[in-house]
Amino acid sequence: MSLIRYESQVRPPLVDNNKDYHQVTEDIVRPIESAPSRLWWTGFLISVALLCFGVFSIYREVTYGVGQWNLNKTIGWGWDITNFVWWVGIGHAGTLISAILLLFRQGWRTGVNRAAEAMTIFAVMCAGQFPIWHMGRVWMAFFVLPYANTRGPLWVNFNSPLLWDVFAISTYFTVSLLFWYSGLLPDLATVRDRAKLKWRKYMYGLLSFGWTGSTKHWQRHESLSLVLAGMSTPLVLSVHTVVSFDFATSVIPGWHTTIFPPYFVAGAIFSGFAMVQTLLLISRKVLKLEDYITIEHIEVMNKVIVLTGSIVGIAYLTELFISWYGQNPNEGWAFAQNRVNLFSPYGWSYWLMMGCNVISPQIFWFRKLRRNIVVTFFMSVIVNIGMWFERFVIIVTSIYRDYLPSSWATYYRPTIWEVGFYLGTFGLFFTCYFLFSKFFPIIAVAEIKHILKKNGDSYKKNMYQYEKVSVDEFYHETHAEHH
């Protein structure tokens, strides 16, 4: 008998319905090889329509200036920076699943990591649009890059957290893209070898970089994965920390607080996992991948959501307590009047945020609700609505009432072009995701095969006989051939 790794029956299988290696390839590669369904075309065309509306909204803003948005003398940051922080947060779950769970050898990541990594890349692409177009004179965007130039004393300010953002997000995007693409190579080679049309064989041949599946290729692939995971792990924590510095390093009441870095990171993982749930629950149904994205995967991700949601709740309460305990009248006013007071102009947004982010995820303490697909899908949408309002509350309620009471009458509402820009980024995100799901395997075929022997349904059933065997007998049987 060959050497095997024993795994307890208590741990449920990660691949259902007695799959063998061939069935895994067939199930995951089938959507790529078949014609797109009517449902795919409907979703894709809606996404492209939203993207076109977003492009037109940007055209309006670039042509006529930032005055097309409803920013005013107190609110210099509005929907655009809110949406920037929200999209950066959504991109966090992918790297967490890919990097940190890879280093901790968590087998359940294999069913969800590919889609989560793709989501990270698309979300960061969407996030990057907001600061760029917010510049107004977007043709001068390259001024943020510290390169040798002839502009004399005109140079980037290395003390500005906005410049740190440029470095953090560009690094994050680059490493995430490398991680995602290097993981795709074995699967692209599989699609290449199965391709019947000449152009598909040629295209996937180019994309797979000549992967042959040799031992040397696999060894280098594994080494590269570990190196990239090691590089990505600090990025998971640093990127949203740097984004939080945009606010924490200022002296504005409501922003000037040291709890922001861990609070932003927890919130980013919280919203990222919610978006992964939203996308994967739709994908598993449409592409018939229920055997690979199982109830177990959904339950584990819901546990992460309830944990990070609780951390975010503690951060909210800590902020409130310190605003009272610190006895700073300006800080106290920012929280007690601008946010907590339900009858203040934006009080409703604070309590909506609290309801969505702190109270609603607590239903996941109940196993039955954690494993309910309808509840999970509904909650994943609610969480991301709540996280959008968290960013809105932080940004707008801290600055809409400044030290000059004559400015207070101004109530900030976004214009159609601000809303259009936001919807356009949804169009960009889902257009990219639909194209990804059509031309690339949405689940990592090679990684699923890697865990099939110890986590697959049929293989785990064969393990049952060893439950009754003593440790010495089990060792003797499984190692007999190797002595």
Side-chain angles (χ1 to χ4, degrees):
M1 184 182 176
S2 61
L3 182 63
I4 56 174
R5 175 181 159 180
Y6 170 74
E7 187 172 279
S8 170
Q9 291 295 303
V10 175
R11 198 178 286 274
L14 295 174
V15 183
D16 287 339
N17 285 338
N18 300 332
K19 301 290 182 186
D20 59 26
Y21 290 136
H22 177 64
Q23 284 173 303
V24 170
T25 309
E26 285 291 330
D27 290 347
I28 298 172
V29 179
R30 186 189 62 244
I32 302 171
E33 295 174 337
S34 56
S37 64
R38 186 175 294 177
L39 210 57
W40 186 91
W41 275 113
T42 306
F44 180 67
L45 292 173
I46 291 170
S47 304
V48 171
L50 283 175
L51 178 56
C52 292
F53 182 41
V55 169
F56 183 70
S57 301
I58 292 169
Y59 157 76
R60 293 277 309 190
E61 186 264 336
V62 172
T63 308
Y64 299 105
V66 181
Q68 290 290 295
W69 297 345
N70 248 357
L71 303 177
N72 53 53
K73 58 188 174 184
T74 51
I75 299 175
W77 284 3
W79 262 51
D80 52 328
I81 303 298
T82 301
N83 297 333
F84 160 69
V85 180
W86 186 76
W87 275 118
V88 172
I90 279 181
H92 263 57
T95 317
L96 179 99
I97 290 170
S98 319
I100 296 178
L101 299 184
L102 172 68
L103 295 176
F104 281 101
R105 296 284 189 255
Q106 293 296 303
W108 66 268
R109 61 177 280 282
T110 52
V112 298
N113 68 330
R114 175 68 51 73
E117 287 166 26
M119 189 193 79
T120 293
I121 294 159
F122 306 148
V124 174
M125 282 163 57
C126 293
Q129 305 302 314
F130 290 98
I132 291 171
W133 299 107
H134 184 257
M135 291 176 185
R137 295 179 179 178
V138 72
W139 47 91
M140 294 187 177
F142 64 90
F143 277 30
V144 301
L145 302 173
Y147 65 96
N149 62 70
T150 54
R151 293 194 293 269
L154 193 59
W155 186 247
V156 293
N157 179 10
F158 284 102
N159 292 327
S160 168
L162 299 176
L163 184 69
W164 308 342
D165 266 355
V166 173
F167 297 141
I169 288 166
S170 56
T171 307
Y172 186 54
F173 179 75
T174 308
V175 173
S176 299
L177 189 64
L178 282 171
F179 208 165
W180 173 71
Y181 197 80
S182 62
L184 268 170
L185 290 177
D187 295 355
L188 291 173
T190 302
V191 180
R192 173 201 66 198
D193 296 341
R194 290 168 56 95
K196 293 181 174 61
L197 298 172
K198 195 172 181 182
W199 69 268
R200 285 176 71 91
K201 213 168 190 59
Y202 180 73
M203 184 181 84
Y204 286 108
L206 280 177
L207 291 173
S208 60
F209 290 170
W211 176 276
T212 61
S214 67
T215 309
K216 197 71 179 169
H217 281 186
W218 275 112
Q219 184 214 340
R220 286 175 176 160
H221 182 267
E222 295 280 331
S223 303
L224 178 65
S225 297
L226 285 173
V227 169
L228 288 173
M231 288 170 66
S232 302
T233 302
L235 283 176
V236 175
L237 305 173
S238 69
V239 172
H240 227 56
T241 298
V242 170
V243 170
S244 76
F245 287 162
D246 294 351
F247 309 102
T249 54
S250 72
V251 290
I252 293 173
W255 288 3
H256 186 66
T257 167
T258 50
I259 199 176
F260 266 17
Y263 155 26
F264 268 53
V265 170
I269 294 166
F270 182 50
S271 62
F273 266 86
M275 187 60 109
V276 170
Q277 293 276 47
T278 307
L279 288 179
L280 285 178
L281 288 172
I282 296 170
S283 300
R284 79 192 283 271
K285 187 71 180 169
V286 173
L287 302 177
K288 299 181 177 61
L289 295 170
E290 288 91 346
D291 292 337
Y292 304 97
I293 303 167
T294 65
I295 298 295
E296 299 308 321
H297 291 94
I298 292 162
E299 183 181 10
V300 171
M301 287 197 283
N302 283 335
K303 287 176 181 176
V304 176
I305 286 172
V306 75
L307 169 69
T308 48
S310 303
I311 294 171
V312 167
I314 290 167
Y316 293 161
L317 296 176
T318 306
E319 273 192 319
L320 282 178
F321 172 73
I322 294 298
S323 71
W324 165 78
Y325 186 70
Q327 292 297 298
N328 181 322
N330 300 315
E331 194 83 19
W333 173 272
F335 282 90
Q337 294 303 321
N338 288 358
R339 297 183 187 178
V340 178
N341 180 3
L342 184 59
F343 301 104
S344 66
Y346 288 108
W348 59 273
S349 61
Y350 181 81
W351 289 105
L352 184 63
M353 170 195 87
M354 285 295 253
C356 292
N357 292 350
V358 182
I359 298 164
S360 64
Q362 303 308 320
I363 66 167
F364 285 145
W365 288 105
F366 301 100
R367 187 171 186 266
K368 197 172 181 180
L369 294 174
R370 278 200 309 270
R371 298 172 70 86
N372 185 308
I373 289 173
V374 176
V375 171
T376 298
F377 183 77
F378 177 72
M379 279 304 307
S380 69
V381 175
I382 290 292
V383 163
N384 264 320
I385 291 170
M387 286 309 292
W388 188 91
F389 272 101
E390 181 207 281
R391 279 57 180 254
F392 180 80
V393 165
I394 288 170
I395 291 166
V396 175
T397 62
S398 299
I399 56 178
Y400 83 104
R401 285 179 169 175
D402 62 5
Y403 296 106
L404 198 65
S406 60
S407 307
W408 286 13
T410 313
Y411 186 82
Y412 170 70
R413 285 185 187 84
T415 63
I416 183 68
W417 308 121
E418 281 176 277
V419 177
F421 187 9
Y422 182 44
L423 293 177
T425 53
F426 270 104
L428 174 62
F429 181 83
F430 284 107
T431 299
C432 291
Y433 190 78
F434 276 115
L435 290 171
F436 160 71
S437 67
K438 181 68 198 83
F439 293 105
F440 297 100
I442 202 168
I443 292 176
V445 181
E447 295 199 29
I448 288 288
K449 289 178 179 177
H450 182 69
I451 63 158
L452 195 62
K453 272 285 174 73
K454 60 178 182 288
N455 297 106
D457 199 12
S458 54
Y459 295 97
K460 285 186 73 68
K461 283 174 183 168
N462 294 337
M463 288 286 182
Y464 186 67
Q465 57 184 305
Y466 296 112
E467 293 272 336
K468 302 165 186 172
V469 176
S470 70
V471 175
D472 292 335
E473 283 181 88
F474 175 75
Y475 182 85
H476 179 71
E477 278 186 43
T478 54
H479 288 67
E481 289 180 9
H482 297 270
H483 288 297

